[in-house]
Each structure stands twice: as structure tokens, then as C-alpha cells.
Amino acid sequence: MTGKPITQVLNSLSSAGQRSQRRFSRGLDRLITPDRLRNYPLILIIAGSLGLLAATIIRITDPAAHGAYLPDYLAHWTGGRLLWDDSQNLYDPRTQSQVQSEAIGTSVGLSWFVSPPIVAFLYAPLALIPYNVSGLVWLVLSSALLVWCILCLATLAPKLMNHKRKLVIFAVLAAPPTFELLGSGQDSAVVLLLWLIGIRLFQTSHPLWAGAVLGLGFAKPQLVLVIPLVLLATRNYKALAAFSAVIAAVSGVSLGLVGLEGLGQWTGALSSPLYMTEVQQGQAWKMVGLPSFIQALLPPAWGAGIAPLLTAASLPIGAAVLLLSILRLRNTGMDGQSVWIATLATTVTFSPHLATYDAVLFIPVVIFLLERRPTRFLRVATVLAFALMWMVAPLHVAALSQPWPLSILDAPWSALPLAAIWLESVRALRPGRLGVVSQDADSSNPSEGTTLTDVPPVKADRQQAGE
């Protein structure tokens, strides 16, 4: 007799929670209207561009006080410079620090080059130019690559790009990863472009070229490690052979550049206590992947011990979920594009090292899903991820001197909505999920106008994965 009232109370609380959640999501969803999507991103673009320009001028004029401008590009430039001058010490922090101080003209914080040797080879021509000039050249090249990537989105979401092109462009340019990419001088736009070209080549039935192009993404190994597993699961052996051949060629070039000892120094740097302390833990607040979020929630003493485990196990766990889904649905007619979008989403969600600038790889995932399955859940998750990434710096400052557990304010909370987007990409693998909108997808208040995703969804292709 006493169980019934308790059950009723629990059901009432659950219903109240669901109603509150629905009200919150509806209220947030109504904010996603064309007018707001034109105005707010435009304000962010203008403010962000001015801030980026001011930071660049300050860093160029007074690097001793504010550090080098394009600090991540400085690391790549240093790798290229050392290939010319002292390749035996390519990964030595002291040697790199000396080279950077000479290039900037004053002592600056170390921007540690820990990329594969092939990356140093690619940046070697730019390292022949004085750093300040070379940085400007790279900024122009990186901006051009980013524009190219935005134009390539039309292959994933043709109707969305045709009907809402300006809104999409504004949203991408106003995204925090875009400013972080350009402001730090990172090369994530290169990897993004390789993914977009590879997906397009799969779509047009060129598996050999697709595998070869994706193999070039080995410049950031953690962002392509899942690819060969998916090629094997989808029985795309031609693409797998091309991917493996490119990886072998890249490894051969790296071996020729630095030898076995140099490759050992590279792997040693990635597994060193200095890397774990200064990068994986010290820069965790800049990360947006699930492993970094979990680590940020733990007490500092625990975080130091569990960081190696998260680094080693996170991506295999995500890959296992993806592969099981693919194998279970392999004979049901999966859409080829949805397989690679889910692969990309899994890669970035579970990557042990995914800084804010690498989150540009979420852009094609979001755009693809918004066209194919524009649910309220997806729209709200996208807005939350966008907003939380803009809050990274303020939250970091607020939590900087706070003890645990108050320090978890500094955790990369955007990892949660990004993980929700990943979940949607895995759900989209099921035939019939693409192009099917849930009942609440278009239930926004009519007085608020249409949303970004109010575009007729395209019919899902039934092209087999990897064809």
C-alpha cells in the first residue's frame, strides 16, 4: 500500500522534470531564428576580428610581455627550422626554446613542436622566411583553406547551403574554433579539408583516391586513427590499401628525415611526463573532448594518475561503439555519407587531444545532421556547444585559483552537447533515420519565424558505405 504513493511521487517528479526540460529546449530553440542567426554571429565576427587584430598587434610589438603571435604556428615553424639547422634535436625542448627566442628576438614561452617529422618537412619552406612574415603568410593560407572548407559543405548539405548559405557562413565564421584556429596559427583547417575531400570521393565512387587523401591526415594521427578500422568493417579494401600505402610513404619520409632515433624521440616526447603535465593536464581547459572533460572533473591527484589511461583507452572505446553499430547495420543499406560523418564525430568526440581549434571538425557533422535530421534536440545541442565554447576563457579565469571541487567550473562543458551530437550521428546510421524529423522538430512558436533548419530534408541515399 505504501508503494503506490511513492511510485506516484516518483512519476510526478519525473513528469515535472521532463516538462521543464521540454520548456527549456523549446525556449532555447525559439532563439534560433534567421534574424538572430544573422545578428548575433555578425556581432561575434566583428568583435572577434577586432580582438584578434588587437592581440596580434600587441604580441608583435611586445612579445616579451605577451608571447609570440600565432603561438601554435611558432611550434610548426620551429620544427621546419630545425630540419634545416639541427634535425638531431628536433624534439628537444631546450633547442626549440633557443630557436624560438632567436626568431622572436626575445625570450618567450615554449611552443613545443611534437607533431610527426613529416609536419616539420611540410613547414620547412615557410621556415626559410623570417617568423613574423612567415606567420602572416600562414594566416592568409589558413584563412583561404577555411573558406574552401565552408564551400565544400555544399556536398554534405546542398539544400541547407542553397537556402541558408549566408546563415551557415556567419555561424561557421562566428564559431569559437574558427577564431581559435586563426588566432593560434593551427593547421586544423588542413585536416578538415582532407576529411571533406575524402568523404566527397567516397560519395563519387573513388575509394582509392579517398583512402589516399584521408591517409594524408596522418599529420594529426589522433584525428585519422579510426579510419582504417571503419574501412575494414565496411569491407572497403581498395581504400584501406590506398590509406595504408600513404601512411607507409609518410612514415618512410619521416624515417628518412630523422632516422629511428628521431622517431623514438617523437614517441618519447608524446609519452613523457612533461607532455602529460604541460599539455594533457596543463591545457585541459582548452580541450573539448570527452576524455578531457572526465579528467577535469577528477581531483588533481586522481587526474594525474588517470590521464595516461584516458589517453590510451578513450578513442578505442568510441571506436568500438561505432564499429559495433556499423557491423550490426552493415547489411541494411546504410547511407555512405552517414558512415563517414559518424566516423568523424566519433574521432573528435573521443580524441584524447582535441583542443578548441580542432573542434572545427564538428562543423561538417552538425551541418550534415541539420539538413538530414533537424530535430530540436540537435539544434539545442548545437547552440549549447557554441555558447559553452565561447565561455571557455571566462570560466577558466573564474576557476583559476579555486580548489577542487569548485575548480570543475573549468571543465570543458561543451564536451557534453558535442557528445550528444555524436550520439545523433550514430543514430543516423540506421536506414530510415535520415530525412525523418521528430514530431517536435518543427513545433517552434510560429511567431518566432523559421529556424535555420527549416529546409525540406533531402531524401537519404541508399548508397552502401564505402561505395
Side-chain angles (χ1 to χ4, degrees), residues 278-313:
E278 298 297 324
V279 180
Q280 290 298 93
Q281 289 182 265
Q283 298 183 14
W285 65 278
K286 291 184 177 181
M287 305 295 176
V288 293
L290 273 181
S292 300
F293 175 74
I294 295 172
Q295 182 177 331
L297 296 182
L298 299 175
W302 292 17
I306 204 172
L309 177 61
L310 288 172
T311 300

Side-chain angles (χ1 to χ4, degrees), residues 139-467:
L139 183 59
V140 172
L141 290 175
S142 186
S143 300
L145 286 172
L146 190 59
V147 171
W148 190 0
C149 290
I150 294 174
L151 296 178
C152 287
L153 294 176
T155 64
L156 294 175
K159 290 195 174 184
L160 189 59
M161 290 297 290
N162 184 43
H163 291 82
K164 306 289 184 180
R165 179 183 298 269
K166 289 183 179 180
L167 298 184
V168 172
I169 292 174
F170 280 177
V172 172
L173 293 180
T178 300
F179 283 101
E180 187 71 21
L181 186 155
L182 297 176
S184 65
Q186 261 292 336
D187 55 2
S188 303
V190 178
V191 182
L192 173 60
L193 184 61
L194 292 175
W195 268 96
L196 290 170
I197 294 175
I199 293 173
R200 176 60 176 170
L201 288 170
F202 277 123
Q203 184 185 7
T204 55
S205 300
H206 293 91
L208 278 173
W209 285 109
V213 167
L214 291 174
L216 295 174
F218 189 72
K220 287 190 175 234
Q222 75 275 15
L223 299 180
V224 297
L225 285 177
V226 181
I227 291 174
L229 300 177
V230 173
L231 292 175
L232 191 61
T234 56
R235 300 174 183 175
N236 199 325
Y237 302 121
K238 289 183 179 179
L240 180 61
F243 181 89
S244 302
V246 170
I247 295 296
V250 167
S251 301
V253 172
S254 296
L255 180 62
L257 290 172
V258 299
L260 285 174
E261 184 178 354
L263 290 178
Q265 291 175 358
W266 170 50
T267 57
L270 293 176
S271 59
S272 67
L274 179 63
Y275 182 82
M276 287 294 174
T277 302
E278 298 297 324
V279 180
Q280 290 298 93
Q281 289 182 265
Q283 298 183 14
W285 65 278
K286 291 184 177 181
M287 305 295 176
V288 293
L290 273 181
S292 300
F293 175 74
I294 295 172
Q295 182 177 331
L297 296 182
L298 299 175
W302 292 17
I306 204 172
L309 177 61
L310 288 172
T311 300
S314 57
L315 199 53
I317 291 174
V321 174
L322 173 67
L323 293 175
L324 288 174
S325 300
I326 291 175
L327 292 173
R328 183 165 55 88
L329 300 169
R330 186 171 57 188
N331 298 322
T332 60
M334 290 182 296
D335 171 60
Q337 281 188 329
S338 67
V339 170
W340 290 107
I341 288 297
T343 302
L344 178 55
T346 301
T347 298
V348 290
T349 301
F350 291 90
S351 173
H353 183 89
L354 190 82
T356 305
Y357 45 75
D358 287 327
V360 295
L361 292 169
F362 266 107
I363 290 173
V365 176
V366 171
I367 296 300
F368 175 84
L369 293 174
L370 282 175
E371 168 146 318
R372 301 301 184 96
R373 187 170 166 75
T375 63
R376 178 184 295 146
F377 177 83
L378 177 63
R379 293 197 296 263
V380 170
T382 301
V383 171
L384 285 175
F386 186 96
L388 288 170
M389 278 192 281
W390 269 115
M391 292 296 295
V392 166
L395 290 176
H396 176 64
V397 172
L400 198 57
S401 59
Q402 300 297 326
W404 188 87
L406 295 178
S407 60
I408 67 172
L409 187 66
D410 196 18
W413 296 97
S414 58
L416 294 179
L418 291 176
I421 294 172
W422 162 75
L423 186 60
E424 281 292 277
S425 73
V426 175
R427 288 173 177 169
L429 288 172
R430 303 180 202 166
R433 295 288 290 189
L434 291 175
V436 179
V437 182
S438 62
Q439 293 180 354
D440 68 347
D442 295 312
S443 60
S444 300
N445 189 335
S447 64
E448 296 291 338
T450 58
T451 66
L452 170 64
T453 54
D454 285 337
V455 178
V458 298
K459 185 177 180 180
D461 292 331
R462 292 295 177 243
Q463 180 183 6
Q464 292 293 329
E467 291 185 348

